[in-house]
Amino acid sequence: PAEEATTEETPAEIRKHKLTVKSEAGEDVELEVDDEELKRGYMMEKAFRHKTAQIAREREAVQAKVKEATETARKELDEKLQLAEQAIWHTLAPEMQGIDWNKLASEDPAEWARKYQHVQNVNAKLANIQQERKKLSEAKAEESKVELKKKVEEAVETLRTEIPGWSDNLYRDILRSAVEQGFKAEEVNAIIDSRAIKVLWKARQYD
């Protein structure tokens, strides 16, 4: 009988890749991984990014609800303070007008003292209301300032990613170019939308 040839299956070659990663101590460490390990690492990173984005969306939704509730409560309180201030001016304050204080003091010192104390009370109430309204206004201004700063930081991060060589000097050149095209300085300085700045950058590139 003819001799049967035997074939041996050789295992597929396992490719190795060298990667440089950061250790827990922050130092560069060289690792050797195969294709399967690379695949698992990619899938884990993809899942991590997806979860991170989901958490970010949920956090933004919660923050939006809290902001809406806070603004509503602040608006209602400010309206109530305005009504209280108007009530004082229209009911309590008018009776104090037209009084000859010098004459009243000489003719009826007791009545003068009573009315004077009443005036002091009215002024104190008005001062308290104005102080509370001032606090509300300052809190709203501070929130707007923080929100603006956040938007600016997010815009800068986006521009660094999408525009090669992004820097403060390039940003100033883009604004200067926009002014040369007819925009007012205050108009371009107020732009914080990364999309609009990118359009201005492209226009500058075209010129």
Side-chain angles (χ1 to χ4, degrees):
E3 184 178 346
E4 294 180 1
T6 59
T7 58
E8 251 181 54
E9 292 186 1
T10 57
E13 182 182 355
I14 299 177
R15 293 183 301 177
K16 295 288 186 177
H17 310 272
K18 290 184 178 181
L19 299 177
T20 301
V21 298
K22 291 289 184 181
S23 67
E24 293 182 0
E27 300 174 350
D28 289 338
V29 178
E30 191 174 80
L31 298 179
E32 192 175 66
V33 298
D34 57 29
D35 289 343
E36 187 62 27
E37 288 172 321
L38 276 179
K39 181 180 177 181
R40 287 199 303 268
Y42 170 76
M43 296 303 293
M44 289 176 62
E45 181 184 3
K46 188 175 181 181
F48 173 77
R49 291 181 179 275
H50 175 74
K51 189 63 176 178
T52 301
Q54 181 183 358
I55 293 174
R57 289 193 298 268
E58 292 174 354
R59 183 173 61 247
E60 289 176 357
V62 171
Q63 290 175 346
K65 290 182 179 179
V66 171
K67 180 183 177 183
E68 183 180 358
T70 302
E71 289 181 349
T72 301
R74 182 185 293 121
K75 183 179 179 180
E76 290 177 353
L77 178 57
D78 189 53
E79 289 175 352
K80 290 179 180 179
L81 290 172
Q82 289 186 54
L83 290 174
E85 186 175 11
Q86 292 172 5
I88 291 174
W89 280 113
H90 288 91
T91 59
L92 300 178
E95 64 181 88
M96 299 293 105
Q97 299 174 1
I99 297 177
D100 188 336
W101 292 97
N102 292 329
K103 181 179 179 182
L104 182 62
S106 61
E107 295 179 352
D108 193 344
E111 182 63 12
W112 176 90
R114 188 186 69 80
K115 289 186 177 296
Y116 180 78
Q117 184 61 47
H118 183 64
V119 169
Q120 294 294 94
N121 293 338
V122 169
N123 288 336
K125 289 178 181 179
L126 290 173
N128 288 337
I129 291 174
Q130 291 167 0
Q131 184 65 24
E132 289 300 317
R133 293 191 66 192
K134 182 180 178 182
K135 288 180 181 179
L136 290 175
S137 178
E138 290 175 348
K140 184 176 181 180
E142 183 62 26
E143 284 185 6
S144 299
K145 183 179 178 182
V146 172
E147 186 174 352
L148 177 62
K149 182 181 178 182
K150 181 182 177 182
K151 288 182 179 179
V152 169
E153 291 174 349
E154 290 175 349
V156 170
E157 190 63 29
T158 301
L159 292 168
R160 282 175 178 167
T161 303
E162 298 182 356
I163 296 182
W166 177 263
S167 65
D168 291 342
N169 289 334
L170 177 57
Y171 175 61
R172 283 192 287 268
D173 290 342
I174 293 172
L175 298 188
R176 189 180 305 112
S177 175
V179 171
E180 291 173 355
Q181 297 299 324
F183 285 94
K184 295 180 181 179
E186 56 269 22
E187 290 176 335
V188 292
N189 286 331
I191 298 175
I192 60 174
D193 191 328
S194 60
R195 297 169 299 178
I197 296 175
K198 192 174 179 181
V199 169
L200 292 175
W201 170 70
K202 288 183 176 181
R204 178 174 176 272
Q205 296 287 98
Y206 176 82
D207 287 342

